[in-house]
Amino acid sequence: MTRFVLRRLLQSVVVLFGVTLVVFLLLQLVPGDPVRVALGTRFDQQTYDALRERSGLDRPLVAQYLSYVGHALTGDLGVSFRSGQPVTTIVLERLPATLSLAVTAVLLALLVAFPLGVLSAVRSGSALDHAARVFSQFGVSVPDFWMGIMGILLFAGVLGWLPPSGYVALTEDPARWASHVVLPATAVGLVTASILTRFIRSSVLEVLAEDYVRTAEAKGLRARIVVVRHVLRNALIPVVTVVAVQLASLVGGVIVIEVLFAWPGVGRLTYDAVQARDYPVLQGAVLFVAALFLLMNLLVDVLYARLDPRIGLR
């Protein structure tokens, strides 16, 4: 186990190096001078040269990249062109907002997808199964920002039950946080729920066709006991992977939803950094999301082996 974890951590470091290199090279292709964008329309040449020298943009590209990687190894991701604050501090301040939104969306998705996917498989061919498949098809066909817009129009504009946008920290006021997170989490969660429903249904159907399930039914066990004892445990093992990947992808993929609902998370931070050509912040945000993705994959592999002893860690 220890050797496996160490080997995966070493592989993750190599992948992160690759991420930093790809992002750095892509940023060189973006048109526009980030220093001019950061300074605005009015500035003198002395100020321009000072900021360019302080940010390291006056050095050759190879020197810039090696300097960035060297500082990143010590936890220093540079400073923002616009605010002058450390990038690590900025990203860590935004991370709780994104995590709270992503975790809430995944929990909502599981509350919908788990019973719906299992019942749809157990009662395959029934009206419930057809309804679940329609829901799943609808969810994967409609983008989450469209659901967000519809939610704002209905629940904030027409009914006035929920605020249309904004954010309150969970630790500051849980009730107000809940009122603000409902709409964005539901918009993202319904799409995730449709994906999970389809996956859970397929996984349960596959296990229901196994010989040991038919043997358990032939022994006279009640259908509910067969499902709970023999089907769910085996069917839900691969679902762990999908849930973890969905959670990690939501952390880095809710940019449109965070912009739509004025949610101050990492996605909104990435969007603002692109608009302002704030390269250090953009590189830092991408690096954080990539590191989180790799960490989630490592946890999934370890959890997978714990849930199914037939799977070894190699």
Side-chain angles (χ1 to χ4, degrees):
M1 172 72 79
T2 304
R3 181 178 298 178
F4 170 80
V5 173
L6 290 176
R7 189 167 64 245
R8 286 296 301 272
L9 287 175
L10 184 61
Q11 293 172 350
S12 300
V13 172
V14 175
V15 172
L16 287 177
F17 272 118
V19 170
T20 60
L21 180 60
V22 171
V23 173
F24 179 81
L25 293 176
L26 288 176
L27 289 178
Q28 307 311 313
L29 301 176
V30 177
D33 187 342
V35 176
R36 290 183 182 275
V37 176
L39 292 175
T41 56
R42 296 183 177 179
F43 59 88
D44 53 42
Q45 188 63 37
Q46 187 177 4
T47 304
Y48 175 85
D49 293 338
L51 180 56
R52 189 172 174 79
E53 182 181 356
R54 191 167 66 247
S55 58
L57 293 176
D58 59 333
R59 291 186 290 175
L61 290 180
V62 175
Q64 289 182 40
Y65 176 71
L66 293 178
S67 175
Y68 177 76
V69 172
H71 285 90
L73 289 175
T74 64
D76 179 10
L77 299 178
V79 295
S80 167
F81 286 165
R82 289 194 304 171
S83 65
Q85 288 183 298
V87 172
T88 306
T89 303
I90 296 174
V91 175
L92 288 178
E93 286 177 351
R94 299 294 191 97
L95 200 56
T98 295
L99 285 177
S100 67
L101 174 59
V103 171
T104 305
V106 169
L107 289 178
L108 286 173
L110 284 173
L111 286 174
V112 175
F114 182 75
L116 196 58
V118 173
L119 291 175
S120 175
V122 172
R123 301 177 183 177
S124 179
S126 66
L128 177 63
D129 181 31
H130 291 300
R133 293 164 71 178
V134 170
F135 165 75
S136 180
Q137 188 64 36
F138 176 78
V140 297
S141 305
V142 178
D144 51 10
F145 70 85
W146 184 86
M147 291 191 183
I149 293 173
M150 293 300 106
I152 291 174
L153 291 175
L154 178 60
F155 294 102
V158 177
L159 300 175
W161 291 351
L162 297 168
S165 62
Y167 169 76
V168 176
L170 176 63
T171 53
E172 182 181 334
D173 190 336
R176 289 186 61 199
W177 169 82
S179 67
H180 282 84
V181 82
V182 167
L183 285 179
T186 303
V188 178
L190 284 178
V191 176
T192 306
S194 63
I195 298 172
L196 291 178
T197 299
R198 179 178 292 186
F199 194 84
I200 291 172
R201 179 182 180 275
S202 300
S203 185
V204 172
L205 279 175
E206 187 176 337
V207 176
L208 282 172
E210 294 288 344
D211 291 338
Y212 63 86
V213 174
R214 287 198 290 268
T215 302
E217 292 173 339
K219 288 166 62 178
L221 290 177
R222 287 186 297 176
R224 180 178 300 177
I225 295 177
V226 172
V227 171
V228 173
R229 288 185 182 176
H230 299 284
V231 176
L232 289 184
R233 180 173 180 177
N234 295 300
L236 296 183
I237 290 175
V239 176
V240 173
T241 305
V242 180
V243 172
V245 172
Q246 285 293 318
L247 178 61
S249 62
L250 285 179
V251 172
V254 292
I255 294 178
V256 177
I257 289 295
E258 288 190 355
V259 172
L260 180 64
F261 287 94
W263 193 266
V266 176
R268 176 68 183 272
L269 177 68
T270 305
Y271 174 81
D272 292 340
V274 171
Q275 293 289 313
R277 304 288 195 275
D278 201 342
Y279 291 171
V281 174
L282 182 58
Q283 286 175 303
V286 173
L287 194 61
F288 258 86
V289 173
L292 185 61
F293 215 98
L294 292 170
L295 178 62
M296 293 298 293
N297 277 322
L298 174 61
L299 293 177
V300 166
D301 286 341
V302 174
L303 187 59
Y304 219 86
R306 290 293 184 188
L307 292 174
D308 190 349
R310 296 171 299 177
I311 301 173
L313 295 176
R314 297 177 183 174

